Amino acid sequence: MKKHLIALTLTALCASAVQATTIYEQEGSKLSIGGWVGVRLVNAKAQRTTLENHASNVDFSIKHQLGNGYSALAYFRLKTKQLKESGDIELFTEYLYAGIEKEGVGTLTLGTQRTNGFSAKAGDYTWLTGENNNVTGGGKKVIKLRSANLNGWVLGTDYIFRDLKENNTGKKYGYDFYLGYSKKVTDELNLGGRVAYSFDKNNLKRDEQIIEQTQQSWRVAFTLGYNDFSAAANYGETYQTPQLGDKTKKTYVMIATKYRLAKPTALYAQYLRGTVKTPNKTDSTSNIYSLGIEHKLHKNVVTWLEGARYLRNDKENDRKIGAGLRVFF
């Protein structure tokens, strides 16, 4: 069986795969490989045009059927990161977790993974600008519980264990709660909403001292889909309370729309706003406007072109233009 598995693995890796591939499946056990390779050209106001890796990664997923609707699962993602100074590509483990799933009920997973808070954002259509999710979205030592879709409702909660560095900075602990709902109103109309809350206790280094900081965040988002048009609106707040110093309030706004011109082509636009308020200091505000177009050359090959304008009251304004290609497998 091992020889058969090795042969299948080599075939899958060497072949020109265009979608996630099952490289082993027998007696209720399944091993799949997927991911993407992305590259992009980026030009900024104070930066020469550069060609860079765009979060390329390889995913491995394993699932074993245990009977009575139960299954054991595992997930492993290797991700690439391009170093700014040398341009070298660094490979690291982004996610590594395992758990149990009960069909129609939900999953329990443990390890390095995204938390339910990662799902708090809605309408992340851009390829260059990104989003501004303020709820804790992941951790290295996470227990995650997430329900199956229960008549449109999805519930989830996480606990993040202590993860301190040698200098005693980092995560002391954290937890979050998530609730989402989606409904297909008609064949053309879909509506949805989600709300999330996260609490984190962290150690920070300030003036050669280790201080404790409490961070509480919440976010609410709404989605709408009508035929080829989709839109999302997000609002969130984060409160940071250090052991020494003033309390900081941060607010986050994200509005996004997308319209599919034809089956392979879509236009999208996004607005991000962030504010930081600290007593006895000038408020910091940023506004980011993005506009882009994406085109599918194949169901697993996407090209895109995007421009963004950055307006800040405490820094020099900036602009970015990017174009990229992502090939999924």
Side-chain angles (χ1 to χ4, degrees), residues 154-203:
V154 175
L155 300 87
T157 185
D158 304 83
Y159 184 83
I160 306 175
F161 287 86
R162 177 186 295 261
D163 184 26
L164 297 177
K165 300 177 182 178
E166 290 184 1
N167 64 357
N168 203 34
T169 62
K171 180 82 67 179
K172 294 190 73 174
Y173 69 91
Y175 55 85
D176 69 17
F177 302 97
Y178 170 84
L179 175 65
Y181 180 74
S182 60
K183 181 176 179 60
K184 186 175 183 179
V185 181
T186 66
D187 290 340
E188 297 84 15
L189 178 62
N190 292 276
L191 297 176
R194 58 195 73 175
V195 60
Y197 168 83
S198 64
F199 178 94
D200 296 283
K201 189 79 74 172
N202 303 308
N203 277 354

